[in-house]
Amino acid sequence: MRHALAIARREIESYFVSPIACAVMTVFTFVSGLFFSNMLVHYVRQAALADSQIQKFGRSDLQLDVPTVVLAQFFQNEAFLLMLAIPLLTMGLVTDERRKGTIELLMTSPVRGIEIVIGKFLGAMSLYGAMLGVTLIHIGVLFAYGNPEWKPILTGYLGLVLLGGCFVSVGLFFSSLTKNQIVAGMFTFVVLLLLWVIGWIGNFSGPTVERLTSYLSLTSHVDDFLRGVIDSQHVVYYLSFITFGLFLTAKAVDSERWRG
C-alpha cells in the first residue's frame, strides 16, 4: 500500500501542474456555478409567483420548496458535468507515462500492477474530490438564505463520489489500453454515455429488458442517494463496478509488463 500512496501523491502533484487538469477544473467550476445560479434564480422567481397567486386567488399550482428542488436539480447537473470532465482527467493516467518514457521504470520496478492501478485511481479520485469540494460553495449559499435538509446533501455527495469512482475506473482502464490520450478519452466518454442512457432503452422494451437495463445504468442507482436514501444494493453495485474496472486495468498493466 505504501507504493500505491506514493504513486497517488505523484499523480496529485502532476495534476496541479497539468494545463489540461487546471483548465478542466476552471471550466467545471464556472459552468457549475452558472447552472446553479440560473437554477436558483429561476426557482426563486417561481416561488415568488406562487406566493402572489396565493395572495390573489387563494391557491397556486406552483407550490415549491426551493432548496429541495434546487438540490435535486443541482446534483443531477453535477453528475452530467462530471461525466464530461472525467474522461479529460483520466485519459493521460497511463498513456502519459508512455509519452514521458516513465512506463518502463514502473514496469521494471518492484511495484505490483495492482499497486500502480490503485495509486493512479486514488490520485484521480483526490482531484475529483477537490472538484466536488468547490461545489460546497453552492450548498453554503442555500444554507445562508434558506433551510435545506442536510441528509439529502450528504447522501447526494456520497452518490456523486461513488458514481465518480465508476467514471474514473472506466477512464483508467481505457488509458491503460492505448498510447493515445485522445483515443482513451473518446472511448471513456462513449462508454460512460452508453452506461448513462442505457436505462432509457428499457422504457421502450419489455419488463425483463427494462429491469436489466435499469440495473446496468449508472445513473439509475444514484437516484435514491439524491432523495436522501442509502440503499445497500446501490452501494454494492457501485463498489463492484469500481472493483471490476480496477481489476481489468491491473490485468492490462500486468500484460504490458509481461510483454515488455
Side-chain angles (χ1 to χ4, degrees):
M1 194 61 185
R2 177 171 56 86
H3 298 302
L5 293 177
I7 293 174
R9 185 169 57 251
R10 192 189 69 169
E11 285 299 318
I12 295 171
E13 293 172 353
S14 66
Y15 269 131
F16 287 99
V17 297
S18 167
I20 293 179
C22 293
V24 170
M25 288 189 67
T26 301
V27 173
F28 170 80
T29 302
F30 174 76
V31 176
S32 176
L34 184 64
F35 281 4
F36 176 80
S37 60
N38 286 340
M39 279 190 305
L40 189 58
V41 169
H42 172 71
Y43 287 117
V44 166
R45 288 176 177 173
Q46 291 290 95
L49 178 60
D51 289 339
S52 65
Q53 289 176 346
I54 291 174
Q55 293 175 4
K56 189 173 182 179
F57 304 109
R59 61 181 297 275
S60 173
D61 296 329
L62 297 173
Q63 297 292 333
L64 292 176
D65 179 358
V66 174
T68 301
V69 176
V70 170
L71 277 175
Q73 190 66 44
F74 165 73
F75 283 122
Q76 291 173 0
N77 288 343
E78 292 304 294
F80 180 74
L81 289 176
L82 290 167
M83 183 191 70
L84 301 177
I86 293 301
L88 297 175
L89 297 177
T90 58
M91 63 184 185
L93 283 174
V94 180
T95 56
D96 204 41
E97 299 284 357
R98 296 191 180 97
R99 182 181 63 84
K100 295 177 180 178
T102 55
I103 188 68
E104 289 80 7
L105 294 176
L106 280 176
M107 294 299 105
T108 56
S109 67
V111 183
R112 294 180 299 166
I114 189 63
E115 291 179 312
I116 296 174
V117 172
I118 291 176
K120 297 280 186 180
F121 178 78
L122 292 178
M125 286 300 293
S126 298
L127 183 65
Y128 178 77
M131 293 171 64
L132 287 182
V134 173
T135 65
L136 290 175
I137 298 173
H138 312 324
I139 305 301
V141 171
L142 289 181
F143 274 104
Y145 297 98
N147 187 29
E149 291 286 337
W150 60 268
K151 187 176 180 181
I153 295 174
L154 293 181
T155 58
Y157 273 104
L158 175 61
L160 287 183
V161 169
L162 293 173
L163 183 65
C166 295
F167 291 169
V168 171
S169 67
V170 172
L172 181 56
F173 172 64
F174 282 110
S175 181
S176 68
L177 296 181
T178 178
K179 298 179 180 180
N180 190 300
Q181 291 190 29
I182 304 301
V183 172
M186 289 180 58
F187 270 102
T188 301
F189 173 72
V190 169
V191 170
L192 292 182
L193 184 61
L194 288 175
L195 291 173
W196 185 285
V197 304
I198 192 173
W200 302 349
I201 299 175
N203 297 331
F204 308 99
S205 308
T208 302
V209 176
E210 184 177 3
R211 285 195 298 270
L212 177 61
T213 56
S214 178
Y215 183 77
L216 293 176
S217 174
L218 284 174
T219 54
S220 65
H221 293 272
V222 82
D223 291 339
D224 281 345
F225 289 100
L226 304 186
R227 290 192 292 265
V229 178
I230 300 179
D231 190 329
S232 59
Q233 174 186 348
H234 303 316
V235 176
V236 169
Y237 169 83
Y238 283 131
L239 293 180
S240 300
F241 190 105
I242 294 170
T243 302
F244 184 62
L246 297 182
F247 170 79
L248 292 179
T249 307
K251 290 300 180 182
V253 171
D254 285 337
S255 67
E256 180 165 343
R257 172 177 287 175
W258 179 78
R259 288 195 304 269

